[in-house]
Amino acid sequence: MGLTFIAIKPDGVHRGLVGEIIARFEKRGLKLCALKVVVPEKAIAEKHYEEHAGKPFYPGLVDYLCSGPIVAMVWSGKDVVAVTRKMIGATKPAQSEPGTIRGDLALDMGRNVIHGSDSDDSAQREIKLWFKEEEVCSKYVKADRMWVYEVT
Ligand code: UDP
């Protein structure tokens, strides 16, 4: 099973959306492997968004991420990167489908509530950036596994 890095951004924390967002991933059947509340250091936020360095929105994006606590998480499951990206919805909330997290909970691209890795490679990179190896509990077998998956 793959892993992905998910972060509820400061607006999601301040708006009290943490429980609702975690509940969506839990109900989908995904497995929670790591979770912490952290006010990001600037250097880590810059590294996290390094692919956007030099773009006009980059400084504001880094400040936004560092402006308050985020809830950093690792989730696991079948096709977890694709599944969570779909649940999160498009970057621009006006283009996010209703039923997605951004489509239901956000209106502004600069305050779009949540981050999710966009590929297995970025997931590996981001998990390493935000968590120590021993903080990620990916080995346990979730009790509902045989009901979430067709196990042979
Ligand atoms: N962003 C922004 N203005 C832009 C493009 C992106 O503020 O013109 C922010 C937005 O918060 C987005 C983040 O930068 O979530 C990272 O952009 P990316 O294209 O990687 O989108 P995501 O993967 O988060 O959907």
Side-chain angles (χ1 to χ4, degrees):
M1 295 288 168
L3 297 175
T4 196
F5 174 74
I6 300 285
I8 302 174
K9 295 174 176 178
D11 48 331
V13 176
H14 282 283
R15 291 176 56 204
L17 301 174
V18 172
E20 149 126 25
I21 291 170
I22 290 177
R24 289 184 180 215
F25 293 130
E26 280 190 317
K27 286 184 204 165
R28 187 72 191 263
L30 297 173
K31 183 172 88 171
L32 181 61
C33 298
L35 181 149
K36 66 182 168 190
V37 180
V38 54
V39 179
E41 286 170 26
K42 194 165 186 190
I44 297 187
E46 284 174 345
K47 194 132 189 58
H48 175 81
Y49 278 127
E50 69 187 3
E51 63 166 314
H52 296 302
K55 296 181 187 167
F57 63 86
Y58 180 70
L61 176 60
V62 169
D63 285 349
Y64 160 45
L65 203 70
C66 297
S67 68
I70 67 163
V71 177
M73 298 177 277
V74 178
W75 288 87
S76 164
K78 187 175 184 189
D79 300 322
V80 68
V81 169
V83 164
T84 50
R85 288 288 292 187
K86 208 146 203 173
M87 290 174 76
I88 287 169
T91 311
K92 292 183 183 172
Q95 291 168 7
S96 319
E97 295 296 328
T100 64
I101 292 167
R102 289 170 175 165
D104 289 346
L105 305 174
L107 283 173
D108 192 318
M109 181 158 56
R111 294 290 181 270
N112 61 2
V113 172
I114 185 163
H115 165 83
S117 309
D118 63 2
S119 67
D120 288 333
D121 285 350
S122 2
Q124 288 312 311
R125 187 184 78 83
E126 292 167 6
I127 291 168
K128 264 204 183 124
L129 181 66
W130 291 96
F131 289 98
K132 295 178 193 149
E133 211 176 311
E134 63 270 23
E135 290 176 323
V136 182
C137 308
S138 54
K139 297 280 188 283
Y140 74 97
V141 176
K142 201 157 171 280
D144 61 6
R145 182 174 179 270
M146 63 180 291
W147 300 109
V148 173
Y149 297 105
E150 181 183 9
V151 191
T152 50

